[in-house]
Amino acid sequence: STLSFTWSDGSVAKRHVTDQITYKPCSVVETYQTGENGYGGKIDITDHYSDAASAVYRSVRLDGQDLLVTDEITSQEGHDAPFEWRMVTTADVVVENDCVRLTHGEKTVYLYCEASGDVSQQPEYGVEQEIVRPESWEPRAWDSYQSYEGFHVVKFSASVAAGQKTGVFRTYLK
């Protein structure tokens, strides 16, 4: 998934997690290797968003068949930290009131976000039906998707209140 922050001047910085790990170092804060806590880890990606937030941590856990992505975002002193969470999928997408339904063949899963802490805007869900890879993006040998026909972007936008406040966004795929 991608996190995009809106800077104080109104411009947007959109960064994909694989770009974060590949092009700029991230610190592994914690790993989860037991069935009790699921399997996964937590990384510090603050350096990638330092112009928009004081701290940004992402953890990913696989617990049985469920995926949980948690983003902990601390705003800067002078302004809110509005952001957008995005995920690419080939599933059929229906935005419902409090979640997104993803259906592929006979299987249906739901994506939803629980927001807690100093949240100034609760998650608002959406979908983009067409994906266009910007020509400014460098080609990546491992990225076989040069055409994104049939793909959709599932997303939600939210914001953390100004003043070194922290919001926690737990995004589930169940």
Side-chain angles (χ1 to χ4, degrees), residues 151-173:
F151 286 74
H152 310 288
V153 175
V154 175
K155 61 185 180 178
F156 68 82
S157 56
S159 187
V160 178
Q164 297 289 318
K165 305 292 186 184
T166 300
V168 177
F169 301 88
R170 297 169 55 91
T171 306
Y172 296 88
L173 193 57

Side-chain angles (χ1 to χ4, degrees), residues 96-161:
E96 298 184 353
N97 192 28
D98 61 347
C99 67
V100 177
R101 183 177 34 157
L102 306 165
T103 304
H104 193 276
E106 297 294 317
K107 184 166 178 132
T108 298
V109 295
Y110 294 87
L111 180 137
Y112 61 97
C113 177
E114 295 175 354
S116 61
D118 297 302
V119 177
S120 58
Q121 176 191 328
Q122 289 292 321
E124 296 176 6
Y125 300 95
V127 63
E128 292 177 13
Q129 299 297 335
E130 183 178 329
I131 299 174
V132 177
R133 184 180 176 96
E135 293 196 19
S136 61
W137 285 9
E138 294 292 323
R140 300 178 290 200
W142 54 266
D143 187 354
S144 61
Y145 298 111
Q146 298 306 314
S147 167
Y148 287 95
E149 189 173 321
F151 286 74
H152 310 288
V153 175
V154 175
K155 61 185 180 178
F156 68 82
S157 56
S159 187
V160 178

Side-chain angles (χ1 to χ4, degrees), residues 53-103:
S54 294
V56 182
Y57 296 94
R58 167 165 283 181
S59 66
V60 179
R61 292 180 191 235
L62 183 59
D63 186 11
Q65 297 295 313
D66 299 334
L67 177 66
L68 169 62
V69 177
T70 302
D71 294 301
E72 300 171 46
I73 300 167
T74 302
S75 65
Q76 293 179 338
E77 191 60 45
H79 59 87
D80 286 3
F83 72 95
E84 187 173 86
W85 189 101
R86 301 165 61 93
M87 180 186 86
V88 176
T89 182
T90 58
D92 294 325
V93 178
V94 176
V95 177
E96 298 184 353
N97 192 28
D98 61 347
C99 67
V100 177
R101 183 177 34 157
L102 306 165
T103 304

